Amino acid sequence: MIKIGVLALQGAVREHIHALQGPDTETVIIKRTEQLDEVDGLVLPGGESTTMRRLIDKYGFFEPLKAFIDSGKPVFGTCAGLILMAREIDGEAQGHLGLMDMRVERNAFGRQRESFETKLYVRGVGDDVEAVFIRAPLILEVEEHVEVLSKHGEEIVAARQGSFLACSFHPELTEDNRLHRYFAQMVKEQQEQEASTIEA
Amino acid sequence: MVDTGTDRVKRGMAEMQKGGVIMDVVNAEQAKIAEEAGAVAVMALERVPADIRAAGGVARMADPTILEQVMEAVSIPVMAKARIGHIVEARVLEALGADYIDESEVLTPADEVYHIDKSEYTVPFVCGARNLGEALRRIGEGASMIRTKGEPGTGNIVEAVRHMREVQSQIHKVANMSKDELMTEAKNLGAPYELLLDIKENGKLPVVNFAAGGIATPSDAALMMQLGSDGVFVGSGIFKSDHPEKYARAIVEATTHYDDYALIGRLSKDLGSAMEGTEISTLEPSERMQDRGW
Protein backbone atom coordinates (compact mmCIF):
# COMPACT_ATOMS: atom_id res chain seq x y z
CA MET A 1 0.00 0.00 0.00
CA ILE A 2 1.30 3.47 -0.91
CA LYS A 3 0.12 6.88 0.24
CA ILE A 4 0.08 9.82 -2.17
CA GLY A 5 -0.70 13.38 -1.12
CA VAL A 6 -2.11 16.22 -3.21
CA LEU A 7 -1.05 19.73 -2.21
CA ALA A 8 -4.35 21.51 -1.55
CA LEU A 9 -3.64 25.22 -1.30
CA GLN A 10 -5.61 26.09 -4.44
CA GLY A 11 -6.64 24.44 -7.70
CA ALA A 12 -7.95 21.11 -9.00
CA VAL A 13 -7.35 18.85 -5.99
CA ARG A 14 -10.41 16.62 -6.04
CA GLU A 15 -9.76 15.51 -9.63
CA HIS A 16 -6.25 14.28 -8.74
CA ILE A 17 -7.56 12.44 -5.70
CA HIS A 18 -10.12 10.74 -7.92
CA ALA A 19 -7.54 9.84 -10.58
CA LEU A 20 -5.04 8.46 -8.04
CA GLN A 21 -7.44 6.20 -6.24
CA GLY A 22 -6.75 2.52 -6.73
CA PRO A 23 -6.71 -0.72 -4.78
CA ASP A 24 -3.11 -0.14 -3.67
CA THR A 25 -3.14 3.64 -3.29
CA GLU A 26 -4.34 5.75 -0.40
CA THR A 27 -4.75 9.50 -0.96
CA VAL A 28 -4.28 12.44 1.40
CA ILE A 29 -5.39 16.06 0.90
CA ILE A 30 -2.41 18.08 2.15
CA LYS A 31 -3.33 21.36 3.83
CA ARG A 32 -0.79 21.40 6.68
CA THR A 33 2.98 20.92 6.46
CA GLU A 34 3.12 18.04 8.97
CA GLN A 35 0.92 15.96 6.66
CA LEU A 36 3.89 15.68 4.29
CA ASP A 37 5.44 13.23 6.78
CA GLU A 38 2.72 10.65 6.18
CA VAL A 39 2.95 10.40 2.38
CA ASP A 40 5.28 8.49 0.02
CA GLY A 41 4.67 10.72 -3.00
CA LEU A 42 3.22 14.15 -3.73
CA VAL A 43 1.16 15.72 -6.51
CA LEU A 44 1.41 19.46 -7.20
CA PRO A 45 -1.91 20.12 -8.94
CA GLY A 46 -3.00 22.58 -11.59
CA GLY A 47 -4.23 26.01 -10.57
CA GLU A 48 -2.73 29.48 -10.71
CA SER A 49 1.01 29.13 -10.13
CA THR A 50 1.41 32.72 -8.86
CA THR A 51 -1.34 32.18 -6.29
CA MET A 52 0.00 28.80 -5.27
CA ARG A 53 3.54 30.08 -4.74
CA ARG A 54 2.22 32.92 -2.59
CA LEU A 55 0.28 30.48 -0.45
CA ILE A 56 3.28 28.11 -0.24
CA ASP A 57 5.30 30.97 1.27
CA LYS A 58 2.49 32.25 3.42
CA TYR A 59 1.87 28.91 5.10
CA GLY A 60 5.54 27.99 5.47
CA PHE A 61 5.36 25.13 2.93
CA PHE A 62 8.53 26.09 1.09
CA GLU A 63 11.12 24.50 3.39
CA PRO A 64 9.04 21.40 4.20
CA LEU A 65 8.50 20.87 0.46
CA LYS A 66 12.24 21.21 -0.13
CA ALA A 67 12.90 18.66 2.61
CA PHE A 68 10.34 16.30 1.09
CA ILE A 69 12.05 16.63 -2.29
CA ASP A 70 15.53 16.10 -0.80
CA SER A 71 14.33 12.87 0.80
CA GLY A 72 14.01 11.50 -2.76
CA LYS A 73 10.28 10.86 -2.60
CA PRO A 74 8.54 11.18 -5.99
CA VAL A 75 6.75 14.38 -7.01
CA PHE A 76 4.32 14.81 -9.93
CA GLY A 77 3.38 18.29 -11.16
CA THR A 78 0.67 19.16 -13.69
CA CYS A 79 0.44 22.57 -15.38
CA ALA A 80 0.97 25.06 -12.52
CA GLY A 81 2.71 22.21 -10.68
CA LEU A 82 5.18 21.87 -13.57
CA ILE A 83 5.96 25.59 -13.30
CA LEU A 84 6.64 25.22 -9.57
CA MET A 85 9.05 22.33 -10.32
CA ALA A 86 11.11 23.99 -13.07
CA ARG A 87 14.55 25.39 -12.28
CA GLU A 88 14.10 28.25 -14.71
CA ILE A 89 11.02 30.18 -15.85
CA ASP A 90 11.24 32.22 -19.03
CA GLY A 91 11.10 35.95 -18.31
CA GLU A 92 11.28 35.55 -14.54
CA ALA A 93 14.25 36.13 -12.29
CA GLN A 94 14.07 32.79 -10.54
CA GLY A 95 12.23 29.49 -10.37
CA HIS A 96 10.16 28.27 -7.43
CA LEU A 97 11.04 24.83 -6.07
CA GLY A 98 13.55 24.34 -8.89
CA LEU A 99 13.74 20.56 -8.75
CA MET A 100 13.87 19.75 -12.46
CA ASP A 101 16.64 20.94 -14.75
CA MET A 102 14.47 22.50 -17.41
CA ARG A 103 13.37 25.92 -18.62
CA VAL A 104 9.63 26.53 -19.00
CA GLU A 105 7.38 29.23 -20.39
CA ARG A 106 4.11 30.19 -18.70
CA ASN A 107 0.89 30.56 -20.75
CA ALA A 108 2.92 29.42 -23.74
CA PHE A 109 -0.03 28.71 -26.02
CA GLY A 110 -1.76 32.07 -25.42
CA ARG A 111 -5.01 32.93 -23.70
CA GLN A 112 -7.94 30.70 -22.73
CA ARG A 113 -9.46 30.71 -26.25
CA GLU A 114 -6.29 28.94 -27.42
CA SER A 115 -6.69 26.20 -24.79
CA PHE A 116 -7.33 22.78 -26.31
CA GLU A 117 -7.48 19.03 -25.84
CA THR A 118 -5.75 16.32 -27.81
CA LYS A 119 -4.29 12.81 -27.60
CA LEU A 120 -0.59 12.19 -27.13
CA TYR A 121 1.97 9.42 -27.11
CA VAL A 122 3.66 9.40 -23.71
CA ARG A 123 6.80 7.27 -23.44
CA GLY A 124 6.41 4.49 -20.89
CA VAL A 125 2.72 5.32 -20.50
CA GLY A 126 1.12 4.61 -23.86
CA ASP A 127 -0.56 5.91 -27.01
CA ASP A 128 -3.52 8.26 -27.22
CA VAL A 129 -3.18 9.59 -23.69
CA GLU A 130 -5.94 12.17 -23.25
CA ALA A 131 -4.47 15.59 -22.58
CA VAL A 132 -6.32 18.81 -21.73
CA PHE A 133 -4.20 21.96 -22.10
CA ILE A 134 -5.53 25.01 -20.23
CA ARG A 135 -3.49 28.21 -20.53
CA ALA A 136 -0.73 25.69 -20.43
CA PRO A 137 3.02 26.14 -19.94
CA LEU A 138 5.63 24.53 -22.20
CA ILE A 139 9.01 23.01 -21.52
CA LEU A 140 11.39 25.06 -23.70
CA GLU A 141 14.51 23.03 -23.01
CA VAL A 142 15.78 20.26 -20.76
CA GLU A 143 19.24 19.23 -19.69
CA GLU A 144 20.44 15.89 -21.00
CA HIS A 145 19.68 13.89 -17.85
CA VAL A 146 16.01 14.91 -18.12
CA GLU A 147 14.00 12.37 -20.08
CA VAL A 148 11.46 13.79 -22.54
CA LEU A 149 8.30 11.68 -22.26
CA SER A 150 5.99 13.46 -24.64
CA LYS A 151 5.85 16.09 -27.36
CA HIS A 152 2.97 17.95 -28.91
CA GLY A 153 4.29 18.66 -32.39
CA GLU A 154 7.81 19.90 -31.68
CA GLU A 155 7.05 21.12 -28.17
CA ILE A 156 7.98 19.21 -25.03
CA VAL A 157 4.92 18.70 -22.81
CA ALA A 158 5.97 15.94 -20.40
CA ALA A 159 9.31 15.02 -18.81
CA ARG A 160 10.86 12.95 -16.06
CA GLN A 161 14.03 13.45 -14.05
CA GLY A 162 14.64 10.59 -11.63
CA SER A 163 11.74 10.63 -9.19
CA PHE A 164 10.25 13.84 -10.58
CA LEU A 165 7.50 13.80 -13.20
CA ALA A 166 5.89 16.84 -14.83
CA CYS A 167 3.43 17.53 -17.64
CA SER A 168 2.04 20.77 -18.98
CA PHE A 169 -1.46 19.33 -19.52
CA HIS A 170 -4.17 18.07 -17.15
CA PRO A 171 -4.57 14.27 -17.13
CA GLU A 172 -6.74 14.72 -14.00
CA LEU A 173 -9.53 16.34 -16.02
CA THR A 174 -10.02 13.15 -18.02
CA GLU A 175 -11.02 9.60 -17.18
CA ASP A 176 -7.68 8.40 -18.59
CA ASN A 177 -5.64 7.78 -15.43
CA ARG A 178 -2.61 6.05 -17.01
CA LEU A 179 -0.21 8.87 -16.07
CA HIS A 180 -1.41 8.67 -12.48
CA ARG A 181 -0.84 4.91 -12.51
CA TYR A 182 2.63 5.52 -13.94
CA PHE A 183 3.35 7.93 -11.07
CA ALA A 184 1.97 5.48 -8.50
CA GLN A 185 4.39 2.91 -9.94
CA MET A 186 7.27 5.38 -9.47
CA VAL A 187 6.23 5.79 -5.83
CA LYS A 188 6.07 2.03 -5.37
CA GLU A 189 9.51 1.48 -6.89
CA GLN A 190 11.00 4.21 -4.71
CA GLN A 191 9.47 2.59 -1.64
CA GLU A 192 10.85 -0.85 -2.58
CA GLN A 193 14.28 0.64 -3.20
CA GLU A 194 14.25 2.30 0.21
CA ALA A 195 13.18 -0.95 1.85
CA SER A 196 16.05 -2.85 0.17
CA THR A 197 18.58 -0.17 1.21
CA ILE A 198 17.48 -0.48 4.82
CA GLU A 199 17.78 -4.30 4.68
CA ALA A 200 21.25 -4.03 3.16
CA MET B 1 -6.25 16.29 -33.77
CA VAL B 2 -6.60 19.38 -31.62
CA ASP B 3 -9.96 20.59 -30.25
CA THR B 4 -10.53 24.04 -28.75
CA GLY B 5 -13.59 25.18 -26.81
CA THR B 6 -14.67 21.70 -25.67
CA ASP B 7 -16.61 21.26 -22.42
CA ARG B 8 -13.52 19.80 -20.75
CA VAL B 9 -11.36 22.73 -21.80
CA LYS B 10 -13.95 25.35 -20.79
CA ARG B 11 -15.05 23.74 -17.52
CA GLY B 12 -11.48 22.74 -16.72
CA MET B 13 -10.41 26.37 -16.76
CA ALA B 14 -12.89 27.06 -13.93
CA GLU B 15 -11.72 23.93 -12.07
CA MET B 16 -8.24 25.50 -11.87
CA GLN B 17 -9.72 28.50 -10.07
CA LYS B 18 -11.11 26.42 -7.20
CA GLY B 19 -10.35 27.59 -3.69
CA GLY B 20 -9.47 31.02 -5.06
CA VAL B 21 -10.73 34.58 -5.13
CA ILE B 22 -11.68 36.48 -8.29
CA MET B 23 -11.56 40.25 -7.86
CA ASP B 24 -13.29 43.11 -9.69
CA VAL B 25 -10.84 45.71 -10.95
CA VAL B 26 -11.30 48.88 -13.00
CA ASN B 27 -7.72 49.52 -14.13
CA ALA B 28 -4.26 47.98 -14.52
CA GLU B 29 -3.07 49.27 -11.15
CA GLN B 30 -5.89 47.55 -9.26
CA ALA B 31 -5.30 44.38 -11.32
CA LYS B 32 -1.69 44.30 -10.14
CA ILE B 33 -2.74 44.75 -6.52
CA ALA B 34 -5.19 41.86 -6.95
CA GLU B 35 -2.57 39.58 -8.54
CA GLU B 36 -0.02 40.50 -5.89
CA ALA B 37 -2.53 39.64 -3.17
CA GLY B 38 -3.03 36.16 -4.65
CA ALA B 39 -6.23 36.52 -6.70
CA VAL B 40 -6.70 33.60 -9.14
CA ALA B 41 -8.29 35.89 -11.73
CA VAL B 42 -9.58 39.42 -12.14
CA MET B 43 -12.81 40.79 -13.61
CA ALA B 44 -12.08 43.89 -15.72
CA LEU B 45 -14.86 46.46 -15.40
CA GLU B 46 -15.52 50.12 -16.06
CA ARG B 47 -17.17 50.50 -12.64
CA VAL B 48 -17.57 48.15 -9.68
CA PRO B 49 -21.19 47.15 -8.92
CA ALA B 50 -21.57 49.65 -6.05
CA ASP B 51 -20.71 52.48 -8.45
CA ILE B 52 -22.95 51.07 -11.19
CA ARG B 53 -25.74 51.10 -8.63
CA ALA B 54 -24.95 54.68 -7.61
CA ALA B 55 -24.62 55.91 -11.21
CA GLY B 56 -27.93 54.46 -12.43
CA GLY B 57 -28.73 54.56 -16.15
CA VAL B 58 -27.76 51.77 -18.55
CA ALA B 59 -24.65 49.74 -17.64
CA ARG B 60 -22.88 48.17 -20.63
CA MET B 61 -19.76 46.18 -21.49
CA ALA B 62 -16.62 48.07 -20.42
CA ASP B 63 -14.46 50.09 -22.79
CA PRO B 64 -12.15 47.51 -24.48
CA THR B 65 -9.16 49.67 -23.51
CA ILE B 66 -9.68 48.73 -19.86
CA LEU B 67 -9.75 45.02 -20.73
CA GLU B 68 -6.61 45.36 -22.85
CA GLN B 69 -4.71 47.28 -20.19
CA VAL B 70 -5.63 44.76 -17.52
CA MET B 71 -4.65 41.82 -19.77
CA GLU B 72 -1.34 43.55 -20.38
CA ALA B 73 -0.73 44.13 -16.66
CA VAL B 74 -1.25 40.64 -15.20
CA SER B 75 -0.52 37.01 -16.08
CA ILE B 76 -3.55 35.56 -14.23
CA PRO B 77 -6.75 35.08 -16.29
CA VAL B 78 -8.87 38.14 -17.06
CA MET B 79 -12.66 37.98 -17.13
CA ALA B 80 -15.11 40.57 -18.47
CA LYS B 81 -18.85 41.15 -18.29
CA ALA B 82 -21.35 41.21 -21.14
CA ARG B 83 -25.03 42.13 -20.80
CA ILE B 84 -27.51 39.26 -20.52
CA GLY B 85 -28.50 38.25 -24.06
CA HIS B 86 -26.03 40.62 -25.74
CA ILE B 87 -24.52 38.29 -28.32
CA VAL B 88 -22.31 40.97 -29.86
CA GLU B 89 -20.78 42.24 -26.63
CA ALA B 90 -19.90 38.61 -25.84
CA ARG B 91 -18.38 38.04 -29.30
CA VAL B 92 -16.37 41.26 -29.00
CA LEU B 93 -14.99 40.22 -25.60
CA GLU B 94 -14.10 36.82 -27.06
CA ALA B 95 -12.34 38.48 -30.00
CA LEU B 96 -10.41 40.77 -27.64
CA GLY B 97 -9.10 37.71 -25.80
CA ALA B 98 -11.03 37.76 -22.51
CA ASP B 99 -10.37 34.44 -20.76
CA TYR B 100 -13.89 34.13 -19.36
CA ILE B 101 -17.13 36.02 -19.96
CA ASP B 102 -19.62 36.79 -17.22
CA GLU B 103 -23.12 37.10 -18.73
CA SER B 104 -24.05 39.32 -15.87
CA GLU B 105 -27.12 40.79 -14.22
CA VAL B 106 -24.87 43.57 -12.89
CA LEU B 107 -25.14 45.14 -16.34
CA THR B 108 -28.50 46.22 -17.76
CA PRO B 109 -29.96 43.24 -19.67
CA ALA B 110 -30.04 43.51 -23.46
CA ASP B 111 -32.66 40.75 -23.77
CA GLU B 112 -35.39 40.10 -21.22
CA VAL B 113 -36.38 36.75 -22.74
CA TYR B 114 -33.30 34.91 -23.98
CA HIS B 115 -29.85 34.34 -22.59
CA ILE B 116 -26.85 33.82 -24.88
CA ASP B 117 -26.34 30.35 -26.43
CA LYS B 118 -23.00 29.92 -24.73
CA SER B 119 -22.29 26.50 -26.22
CA GLU B 120 -21.44 28.22 -29.53
CA TYR B 121 -18.44 30.09 -28.09
CA THR B 122 -14.81 29.03 -27.70
CA VAL B 123 -14.47 31.23 -24.62
CA PRO B 124 -16.08 29.86 -21.44
CA PHE B 125 -18.93 31.65 -19.62
CA VAL B 126 -19.90 32.13 -16.00
CA CYS B 127 -23.52 32.95 -15.12
CA GLY B 128 -25.39 33.89 -11.96
CA ALA B 129 -28.09 31.70 -10.39
CA ARG B 130 -30.43 31.98 -7.40
CA ASN B 131 -31.50 28.34 -7.38
CA LEU B 132 -30.82 24.97 -9.00
CA GLY B 133 -33.31 25.47 -11.84
CA GLU B 134 -31.63 28.69 -12.91
CA ALA B 135 -28.15 27.15 -12.57
CA LEU B 136 -29.10 24.18 -14.74
CA ARG B 137 -30.77 26.33 -17.39
CA ARG B 138 -27.55 28.30 -17.71
CA ILE B 139 -25.45 25.10 -17.84
CA GLY B 140 -27.90 23.78 -20.43
CA GLU B 141 -27.14 26.88 -22.53
CA GLY B 142 -23.44 26.15 -22.21
CA ALA B 143 -22.24 28.00 -19.08
CA SER B 144 -19.00 26.42 -17.79
CA MET B 145 -19.15 27.95 -14.32
CA ILE B 146 -21.95 29.10 -12.02
CA ARG B 147 -21.94 31.73 -9.29
CA THR B 148 -24.62 32.87 -6.89
CA LYS B 149 -26.25 36.12 -7.90
CA GLY B 150 -26.47 37.49 -4.39
CA GLU B 151 -27.25 41.19 -4.51
CA PRO B 152 -24.25 42.88 -6.16
CA GLY B 153 -22.82 46.14 -4.89
CA THR B 154 -24.65 46.04 -1.55
CA GLY B 155 -21.90 44.65 0.69
CA ASN B 156 -24.72 42.58 2.19
CA ILE B 157 -24.10 38.83 2.23
CA VAL B 158 -27.67 37.74 2.93
CA GLU B 159 -28.76 37.13 -0.67
CA ALA B 160 -25.61 35.19 -1.61
CA VAL B 161 -26.19 33.00 1.45
CA ARG B 162 -29.82 32.47 0.45
CA HIS B 163 -28.83 31.47 -3.09
CA MET B 164 -26.00 29.13 -2.05
CA ARG B 165 -28.17 27.45 0.60
CA GLU B 166 -30.96 27.02 -1.92
CA VAL B 167 -28.75 25.48 -4.61
CA GLN B 168 -27.03 23.14 -2.13
CA SER B 169 -30.26 21.92 -0.58
CA GLN B 170 -31.80 21.32 -4.02
CA ILE B 171 -28.69 19.36 -5.09
CA HIS B 172 -28.98 17.16 -1.99
CA LYS B 173 -32.63 16.62 -2.70
CA VAL B 174 -32.05 15.59 -6.33
CA ALA B 175 -29.08 13.38 -5.42
CA ASN B 176 -31.35 11.42 -3.07
CA MET B 177 -34.29 11.10 -5.44
CA SER B 178 -35.13 7.88 -7.20
CA LYS B 179 -34.72 7.99 -10.96
CA ASP B 180 -38.47 7.95 -11.58
CA GLU B 181 -38.88 11.22 -9.68
CA LEU B 182 -36.42 13.11 -11.85
CA MET B 183 -38.60 13.99 -14.84
CA THR B 184 -41.21 15.60 -12.60
CA GLU B 185 -38.47 17.46 -10.76
CA ALA B 186 -37.09 18.62 -14.13
CA LYS B 187 -40.52 19.98 -14.96
CA ASN B 188 -40.87 21.67 -11.57
CA LEU B 189 -37.42 23.24 -11.70
CA GLY B 190 -37.60 24.12 -15.39
CA ALA B 191 -34.26 22.35 -15.77
CA PRO B 192 -32.88 19.89 -18.37
CA TYR B 193 -33.58 16.27 -17.36
CA GLU B 194 -30.09 15.08 -18.42
CA LEU B 195 -28.46 17.51 -16.00
CA LEU B 196 -30.63 16.21 -13.14
CA LEU B 197 -29.50 12.68 -14.03
CA ASP B 198 -25.90 13.91 -13.88
CA ILE B 199 -26.46 15.40 -10.40
CA LYS B 200 -28.09 12.19 -9.19
CA GLU B 201 -25.06 10.20 -10.36
CA ASN B 202 -22.35 12.56 -9.14
CA GLY B 203 -23.96 14.32 -6.19
CA LYS B 204 -22.81 17.73 -7.39
CA LEU B 205 -23.19 20.28 -10.18
CA PRO B 206 -21.27 19.36 -13.36
CA VAL B 207 -19.42 22.73 -13.17
CA VAL B 208 -17.86 24.70 -10.32
CA ASN B 209 -20.07 26.99 -8.26
CA PHE B 210 -18.62 30.20 -6.83
CA ALA B 211 -20.15 32.73 -4.45
CA ALA B 212 -20.77 36.30 -5.57
CA GLY B 213 -22.87 39.34 -4.79
CA GLY B 214 -22.36 41.06 -1.44
CA ILE B 215 -19.13 39.57 -0.08
CA ALA B 216 -17.48 42.38 1.91
CA THR B 217 -15.23 40.88 4.60
CA PRO B 218 -12.82 37.93 5.11
CA SER B 219 -15.47 36.30 7.30
CA ASP B 220 -18.04 36.66 4.52
CA ALA B 221 -15.70 34.86 2.12
CA ALA B 222 -15.06 32.07 4.64
CA LEU B 223 -18.79 31.75 5.34
CA MET B 224 -19.51 31.18 1.65
CA MET B 225 -16.77 28.51 1.48
CA GLN B 226 -18.31 26.74 4.47
CA LEU B 227 -21.68 26.72 2.72
CA GLY B 228 -20.08 24.76 -0.13
CA SER B 229 -18.79 27.40 -2.56
CA ASP B 230 -15.85 26.33 -4.74
CA GLY B 231 -14.43 29.86 -4.55
CA VAL B 232 -15.40 33.50 -4.23
CA PHE B 233 -15.95 36.57 -6.40
CA VAL B 234 -15.38 39.86 -4.61
CA GLY B 235 -16.77 42.86 -6.45
CA SER B 236 -16.98 46.19 -4.71
CA GLY B 237 -15.67 44.86 -1.35
CA ILE B 238 -11.95 45.25 -1.95
CA PHE B 239 -11.43 48.53 -3.73
CA LYS B 240 -14.23 50.21 -1.76
CA SER B 241 -12.47 49.40 1.53
CA ASP B 242 -9.96 51.66 3.28
CA HIS B 243 -6.88 49.48 2.64
CA PRO B 244 -7.41 47.52 -0.60
CA GLU B 245 -4.05 45.70 -0.54
CA LYS B 246 -4.38 44.44 2.99
CA TYR B 247 -8.03 43.71 2.45
CA ALA B 248 -7.38 41.71 -0.72
CA ARG B 249 -4.74 39.56 1.00
CA ALA B 250 -7.00 38.95 3.99
CA ILE B 251 -9.86 37.77 1.77
CA VAL B 252 -7.58 35.40 -0.17
CA GLU B 253 -6.28 33.82 3.04
CA ALA B 254 -9.70 33.55 4.64
CA THR B 255 -10.93 31.74 1.50
CA THR B 256 -8.10 29.18 1.62
CA HIS B 257 -8.36 28.58 5.37
CA TYR B 258 -12.07 29.04 5.79
CA ASP B 259 -12.22 26.80 8.84
CA ASP B 260 -9.30 28.33 10.76
CA TYR B 261 -11.17 30.77 12.98
CA ALA B 262 -8.18 32.07 14.94
CA LEU B 263 -6.51 32.93 11.64
CA ILE B 264 -9.62 34.69 10.29
CA GLY B 265 -9.75 36.63 13.56
CA ARG B 266 -6.16 37.77 13.09
CA LEU B 267 -6.80 38.63 9.44
CA SER B 268 -9.78 40.77 10.38
CA LYS B 269 -7.81 42.99 12.78
CA ASP B 270 -7.16 46.62 11.87
CA LEU B 271 -8.48 46.29 8.34
CA GLY B 272 -10.16 49.67 8.52
CA SER B 273 -13.75 50.11 7.40
CA ALA B 274 -15.31 47.62 5.04
CA MET B 275 -17.41 49.05 2.23
CA GLU B 276 -20.63 50.67 3.35
CA GLY B 277 -23.49 48.18 3.16
CA THR B 278 -27.09 48.36 2.01
CA GLU B 279 -30.08 46.72 3.71
CA ILE B 280 -31.82 44.67 1.01
CA SER B 281 -35.35 45.68 2.04
CA THR B 282 -34.52 49.34 1.29
CA LEU B 283 -33.98 48.50 -2.41
CA GLU B 284 -36.81 49.26 -4.81
CA PRO B 285 -37.82 46.23 -6.95
CA SER B 286 -36.23 47.96 -9.95
CA GLU B 287 -32.93 48.17 -8.06
CA ARG B 288 -32.72 44.43 -7.43
CA MET B 289 -30.09 43.15 -9.88
CA GLN B 290 -30.74 39.50 -8.95
CA ASP B 291 -34.19 39.63 -10.55
CA ARG B 292 -32.63 40.26 -13.95
CA GLY B 293 -32.50 37.07 -16.07
CA TRP B 294 -34.54 33.97 -15.19
Side-chain angles (χ1 to χ4, degrees):
Chain A
M1 187 58 108
I2 51 168
K3 249 187 187 183
I4 298 179
V6 181
L7 185 67
L9 295 175
Q10 189 269 316
V13 174
R14 188 176 54 207
E15 290 71 14
H16 273 295
I17 296 283
H18 177 74
L20 285 166
Q21 270 156 3
D24 52 355
T25 311
E26 248 182 84
T27 52
V28 183
I29 293 174
I30 309 264
K31 284 204 160 198
R32 297 186 316 275
T33 53
E34 62 270 25
Q35 289 174 295
L36 288 172
D37 300 338
E38 8 165 336
V39 297
D40 310 307
L42 180 68
V43 172
L44 303 174
E48 284 304 320
S49 63
T50 335
T51 311
M52 254 187 246
R53 173 56 200 270
R54 216 164 293 280
L55 294 170
I56 283 174
D57 290 345
K58 186 76 207 174
Y59 302 119
F61 259 100
F62 195 80
E63 291 306 323
L65 280 174
K66 280 275 195 194
F68 185 88
I69 291 155
D70 290 342
S71 73
K73 288 179 181 169
V75 180
F76 178 22
T78 62
C79 195
L82 169 142
I83 297 169
L84 294 178
M85 289 168 81
R87 205 188 57 203
E88 209 182 321
I89 302 164
D90 202 46
E92 291 180 28
Q94 61 192 74
H96 300 291
L97 296 166
L99 50 151
M100 286 180 74
D101 296 320
M102 58 189 189
R103 189 161 68 87
V104 301
E105 182 188 358
R106 297 180 59 202
N107 297 341
F109 294 92
R111 306 200 71 90
Q112 170 61 17
R113 65 181 173 194
E114 274 87 44
S115 295
F116 62 96
E117 58 177 274
T118 188
K119 289 182 173 162
L120 297 169
Y121 165 71
V122 182
R123 193 166 158 191
V125 175
D127 273 319
D128 291 330
V129 173
E130 292 183 50
V132 181
F133 290 79
I134 296 174
R135 291 168 43 88
L138 264 185
I139 302 171
L140 296 174
E141 53 184 346
V142 297
E143 284 185 20
E144 57 199 23
H145 51 279
V146 179
E147 186 187 5
V148 173
L149 295 186
S150 185
K151 283 187 172 185
H152 175 254
E154 289 305 302
E155 327 266 26
I156 307 171
V157 293
R160 175 175 176 177
Q161 179 180 344
S163 55
F164 306 133
L165 177 67
C167 61
S168 56
F169 52 90
H170 295 281
E172 77 280 10
L173 290 179
T174 74
E175 292 300 312
D176 185 345
N177 62 8
R178 281 177 288 170
L179 253 167
H180 286 87
R181 296 322 313 156
Y182 177 86
F183 178 64
Q185 190 57 38
M186 281 169 62
V187 175
K188 223 172 288 171
E189 283 163 14
Q190 176 66 27
Q191 209 182 30
E192 280 159 16
Q193 206 181 332
E194 257 172 55
S196 65
T197 324
I198 293 166
E199 275 166 36
Chain B
M1 202 182 59
V2 166
D3 292 315
T4 56
T6 62
D7 274 351
R8 283 204 296 214
V9 167
K10 294 200 281 188
R11 292 175 179 182
M13 156 79 194
E15 300 285 349
M16 297 310 137
Q17 308 267 299
K18 277 189 298 196
V21 181
I22 299 168
M23 300 181 191
D24 279 2
V25 298
V26 299
N27 55 41
E29 187 198 343
Q30 290 187 353
K32 280 185 184 149
I33 292 174
E35 183 177 49
E36 193 58 31
V40 289
V42 290
M43 177 79 72
L45 291 166
E46 206 158 304
R47 286 193 282 249
V48 295
D51 290 336
I52 289 176
R53 212 172 254 295
V58 174
R60 310 179 180 92
M61 172 185 88
D63 183 332
T65 312
I66 296 175
L67 177 62
E68 283 175 356
Q69 286 171 348
V70 169
M71 288 194 305
E72 188 60 32
V74 296
S75 66
I76 52 177
V78 179
M79 304 187 170
K81 287 187 197 290
R83 282 180 266 179
I84 291 173
H86 206 310
I87 298 161
V88 173
E89 281 188 353
R91 284 292 183 196
V92 168
L93 293 173
E94 181 179 51
L96 290 169
D99 294 305
Y100 233 93
I101 296 176
D102 186 359
E103 186 185 18
S104 176
E105 67 283 1
V106 168
L107 305 181
T108 313
D111 192 325
E112 292 189 332
V113 183
Y114 302 112
H115 285 253
I116 297 171
D117 175 12
K118 296 164 275 288
S119 64
E120 289 295 309
Y121 291 69
T122 305
V123 67
F125 278 75
V126 54
C127 287
R130 290 162 296 182
N131 52 52
L132 186 60
E134 200 171 7
L136 296 182
R137 286 192 289 279
R138 297 295 84 77
I139 297 168
E141 292 159 354
S144 308
M145 178 184 198
I146 292 294
R147 54 168 177 75
T148 59
K149 282 182 161 173
E151 191 53 50
T154 59
N156 190 336
I157 194 75
V158 68
E159 296 300 305
V161 167
R162 188 194 317 284
H163 299 161
M164 187 54 73
R165 288 266 189 203
E166 180 71 9
V167 168
Q168 296 294 355
S169 91
Q170 288 175 304
I171 288 173
H172 294 150
K173 187 176 159 206
V174 170
N176 290 306
M177 279 181 167
S178 61
K179 193 160 169 264
D180 50 17
E181 294 173 277
L182 291 183
M183 188 57 84
T184 302
E185 188 67 4
K187 169 179 173 272
N188 293 339
L189 291 175
Y193 172 74
E194 290 68 25
L195 291 176
L196 289 183
L197 263 181
D198 188 293
I199 290 178
K200 175 161 173 54
E201 272 166 32
N202 298 305
K204 63 179 192 66
L205 281 179
V207 303
V208 303
N209 187 15
F210 270 47
I215 293 152
T217 68
S219 300
D220 285 351
L223 168 63
M224 296 312 299
M225 294 301 287
Q226 292 217 349
L227 295 180
S229 304
D230 290 313
V232 174
F233 281 89
V234 187
S236 319
I238 290 168
F239 292 100
K240 285 280 157 192
S241 70
D242 283 347
H243 305 292
E245 288 166 43
K246 201 171 164 192
Y247 220 89
R249 280 199 302 270
I251 289 195
V252 168
E253 280 185 52
T255 303
T256 310
H257 291 273
Y258 57 85
D259 52 2
D260 186 339
Y261 307 112
L263 174 78
I264 297 169
R266 283 199 299 282
L267 293 171
S268 306
K269 276 189 198 166
D270 303 320
L271 277 181
S273 307
M275 68 179 284
E276 211 171 298
T278 309
E279 162 58 37
I280 304 294
S281 63
T282 64
L283 294 176
E284 296 293 331
S286 65
E287 295 173 318
R288 284 166 61 89
M289 290 175 172
Q290 62 174 284
D291 296 333
R292 295 166 166 179
W294 57 280

